[in-house]
Amino acid sequence: MSPTRLQRRREPSQARGRQRVRALLEATAELLEEVGYDALTTKGIAERANTSIGSFYQFFPNRDAAVAHLVDSYRAQIRKYLHTAVRQQFKDTRKGITADWVGSVVDGLSALYASFPGFAGLWSGGVQDGPLRSHAEQLRAELLASLEVLLGEAFPGVDPERRHRCLLMVVETAKAVLFRCGTASPDQAEMMREELKHMLALYMAAYFESDADDRSAVFTGT
Amino acid sequence: MSPTRLQRRREPSQARGRQRVRALLEATAELLEEVGYDALTTKGIAERANTSIGSFYQFFPNRDAAVAHLVDSYRAQIRKYLHTAVRQQFKDTRKGITADWVGSVVDGLSALYASFPGFAGLWSGGVQDGPLRSHAEQLRAELLASLEVLLGEAFPGVDPERRHRCLLMVVETAKAVLFRCGTASPDQAEMMREELKHMLALYMAAYFESDADDRSAVFTGT
Amino acid sequence: MSPTRLQRRREPSQARGRQRVRALLEATAELLEEVGYDALTTKGIAERANTSIGSFYQFFPNRDAAVAHLVDSYRAQIRKYLHTAVRQQFKDTRKGITADWVGSVVDGLSALYASFPGFAGLWSGGVQDGPLRSHAEQLRAELLASLEVLLGEAFPGVDPERRHRCLLMVVETAKAVLFRCGTASPDQAEMMREELKHMLALYMAAYFESDADDRSAVFTGT
Amino acid sequence: MSPTRLQRRREPSQARGRQRVRALLEATAELLEEVGYDALTTKGIAERANTSIGSFYQFFPNRDAAVAHLVDSYRAQIRKYLHTAVRQQFKDTRKGITADWVGSVVDGLSALYASFPGFAGLWSGGVQDGPLRSHAEQLRAELLASLEVLLGEAFPGVDPERRHRCLLMVVETAKAVLFRCGTASPDQAEMMREELKHMLALYMAAYFESDADDRSAVFTGT
DNA sequence: GATGAATGAGCTTTCATTCAT
DNA sequence: CATGAATGAAAGCTCATTCAT
């Protein structure tokens, strides 16, 4: 497999082409959400985008290239989100890792994930193993790195290594639970999101709060 | 799809037949681990089991039936494990949700998962959506129910509803992190398992410990 | 491309299977003759053999494997022919390279080639370049080696190196002209075959006849 | 297929257009040499010529038209070559069919073929069968006719019918062997070219030399 | 004219499943 | 029961050709 197998085949030079590419990527994202990565087919993508299979291959060399493009675009959006929205929110509440703060971060991530159709589908087996593996890893790494920077600014006293460990867990756990919410009933989903906030607040507090007295404020029960 | 599509086709009546079925299920489990659910093929299963494709269909009506059978067998084994090993271990340490106790439960689950080849492969997209969905749900439910009973016995004072919520999160989180460990480097995996123990201990303590003083014992930092 | 890409996929174990394989190879040979190597399609082969495309792939991993098999079978047949028919004929006329002798060899080769449907199609560009290259080379080498042995026995006095050079030319020229005959009118074909005999007789005589006087016997004009 | 399917689509009226056509034909020739007729693609031609696929179809109605044009241009060049270079050379050595003379003709043809990129690719199956068949035949006929005229002038005494037969063989044999040289090692190629000269010299001498005594001069062995 | 987007028939190959032996 | 041959829908991908801009 040549190293360019996941590159786009060509940058569309006409407006019509750019429009097509957008439609194809949208279709890819939707189908990724609806049927998952392994059931994703190029024919399906083309049909959903109201186009012919030939047009798909005009712009993408294969199925994975479209998915890779999607992953990269999500990565870029996540970075931007974390560099703006979260940082802003963060400045307002530099008082510590309160339940509120964790809650708003989780809500933010939740909304972010929800706004990416197909995001959940990117964590299935096929993506983690095959040629997309590195793309998925980069997405993970990007998210983690951004959070590390943010919390590093807020809590300069915490050992970077410990910070890394903590946030690695936070990211992984949040992802797992939030995606599980996607397949549960709305009630259950709401409940799980709340529990996730509690859990992460407790866990992060242990790392980022020096003052044990605050901990009672962190967890209030329900 | 008839309701019996995942049933076994026929109960083998001869010893040779039972042996065949066992070999087929083993092969299914191994391949599930090696290549994942979506790359699982009936021909592959038959070959790995040193049989013909015809024999596979003698005992299973289709590919998913074999997987469903595997899920069910895992379910039975997990139930047994929780009703014996964990309960025993539990009685020894009825002193509370200590870090040690949580640690040994996580280690137990980790070993349990590891002892089921293909277990991780069961949580991919294809299994969660298709005809196997209910089987996967039952597996989850079984695990959850067993834990609820156990902790219900140990902490009768905790509201069943709250207990349920807590353990739901515990199960989901443990699964996500432990499976992620499977694709990480041994060092990282070890680290993540330790962090998982801390996180769950903190979280569970908030539910099952009335006495805040104990909490310091729960989390020891690193 | 793995080294076994041109191997047969499996040896058919049932009579029905062997029959199918034979039909598939026959169809391959016929189509090779009718449309040539590059226009050969697996679908076409299956249809011509009155089977489904699936059956083709049950026995051959890909299109080239069928062709390779054909080449090898032709090779075996040519070897046998040269080791029996030609040798016999040769013994009868050990008097030298007469026009008659060359004529009968050319006629023999001509008949041999004609009895292999698709043989001509094996010398097209696609076969000479791709994965079949070595098979085609072996076929050539086999033919050449057999002739070298035969003429070595008959004319032990000729330098092996010169013998090799001469026969290389003979084989190549005979092949080219005989195959060209295949696309010409019957009259022209007949004429070309006769000319070929003259040309080769003259050429071989220069190598294998020490006695220049015989040469007049070799070429009689027309 | 309309009779004009291989005609040029339109005569370019501007200098830019003529330049385009030349580039497209050059690209066609190069690719014909590199990948062969069957692997020739219109997209490939356009890219090699630094143009768009649309431009290709501006000047040629289809893929074969470009190849046909190439064949015709080769035909014209061959005619010119034979009417000048060979004729000149011929006059110098009107002494008879010596080995030297045949040698220089073979070398000339060899150089000629080599100077036409893609020439060899024109003799593959696809070209001989399809719509290009007549173009290929004309190329052959042209070459043959030119040689017939030349040798007719030099040896007026030889029966035209016999002359035709002889030269037909010469052309076919020379083509086959020279093209085979293209895929052999340089050493082997050189050797085969030498052998070809011997063989043709012997053969032609039998037709064009009345005097048997000269024949010994024709073949000198090696 | 030049460009490249659009199209879809057609090819190779895989795989679940059925069925004859 | 065991075997493996038979089947064909469906997937990925290519390419000649047309056409809008």
mmCIF file of all heavy atoms in Angstrom, chain A residues 13 20 27 33 43-44 46 67 75 85 120 128 151 160 180-181 192 208 211:
data_model
loop_
_atom_site.group_PDB
_atom_site.id
_atom_site.type_symbol
_atom_site.label_atom_id
_atom_site.label_comp_id
_atom_site.label_asym_id
_atom_site.label_seq_id
_atom_site.Cartn_x
_atom_site.Cartn_y
_atom_site.Cartn_z
ATOM 1 N N SER A 13 -10.897 21.581 -8.896
ATOM 2 C CA SER A 13 -10.559 22.951 -9.276
ATOM 3 C C SER A 13 -11.794 23.744 -9.664
ATOM 4 O O SER A 13 -11.745 24.968 -9.727
ATOM 5 C CB SER A 13 -9.573 22.940 -10.441
ATOM 6 O OG SER A 13 -10.181 22.370 -11.573
ATOM 7 N N ARG A 20 -19.268 18.676 -4.980
ATOM 8 C CA ARG A 20 -19.371 17.216 -4.985
ATOM 9 C C ARG A 20 -18.597 16.607 -3.820
ATOM 10 O O ARG A 20 -19.088 15.742 -3.116
ATOM 11 C CB ARG A 20 -18.778 16.649 -6.279
ATOM 12 C CG ARG A 20 -19.727 16.436 -7.382
ATOM 13 C CD ARG A 20 -20.476 15.131 -7.239
ATOM 14 N NE ARG A 20 -21.369 14.960 -8.377
ATOM 15 C CZ ARG A 20 -22.583 15.467 -8.437
ATOM 16 N NH1 ARG A 20 -23.082 16.149 -7.416
ATOM 17 N NH2 ARG A 20 -23.321 15.263 -9.504
ATOM 18 N N ALA A 27 -22.030 12.564 2.991
ATOM 19 C CA ALA A 27 -22.645 11.243 2.869
ATOM 20 C C ALA A 27 -21.825 10.215 3.648
ATOM 21 O O ALA A 27 -22.378 9.352 4.338
ATOM 22 C CB ALA A 27 -22.735 10.844 1.399
ATOM 23 N N GLU A 33 -22.267 7.110 10.592
ATOM 24 C CA GLU A 33 -23.087 7.138 11.794
ATOM 25 C C GLU A 33 -24.183 6.080 11.727
ATOM 26 O O GLU A 33 -24.464 5.390 12.708
ATOM 27 C CB GLU A 33 -23.729 8.519 11.926
ATOM 28 C CG GLU A 33 -24.749 8.589 13.038
ATOM 29 C CD GLU A 33 -24.843 10.004 13.556
ATOM 30 O OE1 GLU A 33 -25.204 10.895 12.780
ATOM 31 O OE2 GLU A 33 -24.550 10.211 14.751
ATOM 32 N N LYS A 43 -20.345 2.551 -3.032
ATOM 33 C CA LYS A 43 -21.591 2.709 -3.767
ATOM 34 C C LYS A 43 -22.613 3.441 -2.902
ATOM 35 O O LYS A 43 -23.325 4.340 -3.377
ATOM 36 C CB LYS A 43 -22.123 1.327 -4.159
ATOM 37 C CG LYS A 43 -23.256 1.332 -5.160
ATOM 38 C CD LYS A 43 -23.392 -0.044 -5.815
ATOM 39 C CE LYS A 43 -24.736 -0.185 -6.528
ATOM 40 N NZ LYS A 43 -25.868 -0.376 -5.583
ATOM 41 N N GLY A 44 -22.680 3.045 -1.640
ATOM 42 C CA GLY A 44 -23.603 3.689 -0.727
ATOM 43 C C GLY A 44 -23.314 5.172 -0.597
ATOM 44 O O GLY A 44 -24.225 6.008 -0.626
ATOM 45 N N ALA A 46 -21.802 7.134 -2.718
ATOM 46 C CA ALA A 46 -22.139 7.834 -3.957
ATOM 47 C C ALA A 46 -23.649 8.040 -4.068
ATOM 48 O O ALA A 46 -24.121 9.130 -4.410
ATOM 49 C CB ALA A 46 -21.611 7.053 -5.158
ATOM 50 N N VAL A 67 -12.788 8.424 4.523
ATOM 51 C CA VAL A 67 -12.882 8.397 5.979
ATOM 52 C C VAL A 67 -11.705 9.152 6.590
ATOM 53 O O VAL A 67 -11.875 9.927 7.540
ATOM 54 C CB VAL A 67 -12.916 6.948 6.485
ATOM 55 C CG1 VAL A 67 -12.954 6.923 8.004
ATOM 56 C CG2 VAL A 67 -14.127 6.222 5.922
ATOM 57 N N ARG A 75 -10.493 16.440 13.366
ATOM 58 C CA ARG A 75 -9.347 16.797 14.187
ATOM 59 C C ARG A 75 -9.145 18.314 14.189
ATOM 60 O O ARG A 75 -8.973 18.933 15.238
ATOM 61 C CB ARG A 75 -8.105 16.096 13.635
ATOM 62 C CG ARG A 75 -6.872 16.317 14.448
ATOM 63 C CD ARG A 75 -5.931 15.144 14.315
ATOM 64 N NE ARG A 75 -5.490 14.944 12.949
ATOM 65 C CZ ARG A 75 -4.393 15.492 12.427
ATOM 66 N NH1 ARG A 75 -3.649 16.281 13.164
ATOM 67 N NH2 ARG A 75 -4.052 15.249 11.186
ATOM 68 N N ALA A 85 -13.399 27.958 22.559
ATOM 69 C CA ALA A 85 -14.517 27.821 23.493
ATOM 70 C C ALA A 85 -14.050 27.370 24.864
ATOM 71 O O ALA A 85 -14.308 28.019 25.884
ATOM 72 C CB ALA A 85 -15.545 26.835 22.932
ATOM 73 N N ALA A 120 -18.586 8.522 16.220
ATOM 74 C CA ALA A 120 -18.557 7.280 17.003
ATOM 75 C C ALA A 120 -18.084 6.105 16.153
ATOM 76 O O ALA A 120 -17.333 5.251 16.607
ATOM 77 C CB ALA A 120 -19.939 6.989 17.575
ATOM 78 N N GLN A 128 -9.335 1.022 13.884
ATOM 79 C CA GLN A 128 -8.192 0.980 14.796
ATOM 80 C C GLN A 128 -7.046 0.126 14.256
ATOM 81 O O GLN A 128 -5.902 0.277 14.676
ATOM 82 C CB GLN A 128 -8.638 0.428 16.163
ATOM 83 C CG GLN A 128 -9.725 1.237 16.816
ATOM 84 C CD GLN A 128 -9.308 2.687 17.052
ATOM 85 O OE1 GLN A 128 -8.241 2.944 17.572
ATOM 86 N NE2 GLN A 128 -10.150 3.624 16.643
ATOM 87 N N LEU A 151 -4.829 22.555 30.823
ATOM 88 C CA LEU A 151 -4.736 22.319 32.256
ATOM 89 C C LEU A 151 -3.344 22.629 32.774
ATOM 90 O O LEU A 151 -3.169 22.946 33.951
ATOM 91 C CB LEU A 151 -5.145 20.882 32.583
ATOM 92 C CG LEU A 151 -6.666 20.749 32.561
ATOM 93 C CD1 LEU A 151 -7.106 19.305 32.402
ATOM 94 C CD2 LEU A 151 -7.252 21.335 33.849
ATOM 95 N N PRO A 160 3.819 17.225 34.955
ATOM 96 C CA PRO A 160 3.316 16.950 33.587
ATOM 97 C C PRO A 160 3.002 15.479 33.361
ATOM 98 O O PRO A 160 2.012 15.137 32.709
ATOM 99 C CB PRO A 160 4.484 17.400 32.704
ATOM 100 C CG PRO A 160 5.221 18.401 33.503
ATOM 101 C CD PRO A 160 5.068 17.978 34.945
ATOM 102 N N ARG A 180 -21.431 5.390 24.398
ATOM 103 C CA ARG A 180 -22.430 4.443 24.880
ATOM 104 C C ARG A 180 -23.770 5.150 25.047
ATOM 105 O O ARG A 180 -24.829 4.567 24.798
ATOM 106 C CB ARG A 180 -21.970 3.855 26.210
ATOM 107 C CG ARG A 180 -22.912 2.856 26.816
ATOM 108 C CD ARG A 180 -22.563 1.440 26.438
ATOM 109 N NE ARG A 180 -23.518 0.488 27.010
ATOM 110 C CZ ARG A 180 -24.637 0.115 26.403
ATOM 111 N NH1 ARG A 180 -24.927 0.597 25.205
ATOM 112 N NH2 ARG A 180 -25.450 -0.742 26.986
ATOM 113 N N CYS A 181 -23.730 6.391 25.443
ATOM 114 C CA CYS A 181 -24.971 7.163 25.569
ATOM 115 C C CYS A 181 -25.728 7.190 24.246
ATOM 116 O O CYS A 181 -26.960 7.208 24.210
ATOM 117 C CB CYS A 181 -24.664 8.602 25.982
ATOM 118 S SG CYS A 181 -24.161 8.777 27.694
ATOM 119 N N MET A 192 -26.345 8.773 32.459
ATOM 120 C CA MET A 192 -24.944 8.395 32.343
ATOM 121 C C MET A 192 -24.046 9.616 32.203
ATOM 122 O O MET A 192 -22.936 9.650 32.729
ATOM 123 C CB MET A 192 -24.761 7.452 31.145
ATOM 124 C CG MET A 192 -25.316 6.069 31.429
ATOM 125 S SD MET A 192 -25.208 4.976 29.979
ATOM 126 C CE MET A 192 -23.472 4.582 29.974
ATOM 127 N N PHE A 208 -5.726 17.541 40.497
ATOM 128 C CA PHE A 208 -5.511 18.966 40.284
ATOM 129 C C PHE A 208 -5.861 19.841 41.480
ATOM 130 O O PHE A 208 -5.717 21.046 41.419
ATOM 131 C CB PHE A 208 -6.290 19.428 39.048
ATOM 132 C CG PHE A 208 -5.745 18.844 37.782
ATOM 133 C CD1 PHE A 208 -6.298 17.713 37.227
ATOM 134 C CD2 PHE A 208 -4.630 19.410 37.183
ATOM 135 C CE1 PHE A 208 -5.794 17.169 36.073
ATOM 136 C CE2 PHE A 208 -4.114 18.859 36.024
ATOM 137 C CZ PHE A 208 -4.688 17.736 35.459
ATOM 138 N N ASP A 211 -6.099 20.958 47.773
ATOM 139 C CA ASP A 211 -6.826 21.165 49.014
ATOM 140 C C ASP A 211 -7.968 20.153 49.181
ATOM 141 O O ASP A 211 -8.994 20.223 48.518
ATOM 142 C CB ASP A 211 -7.398 22.592 48.979
ATOM 143 C CG ASP A 211 -8.122 22.928 50.262
ATOM 144 O OD1 ASP A 211 -8.231 22.037 51.138
ATOM 145 O OD2 ASP A 211 -8.569 24.066 50.367
#
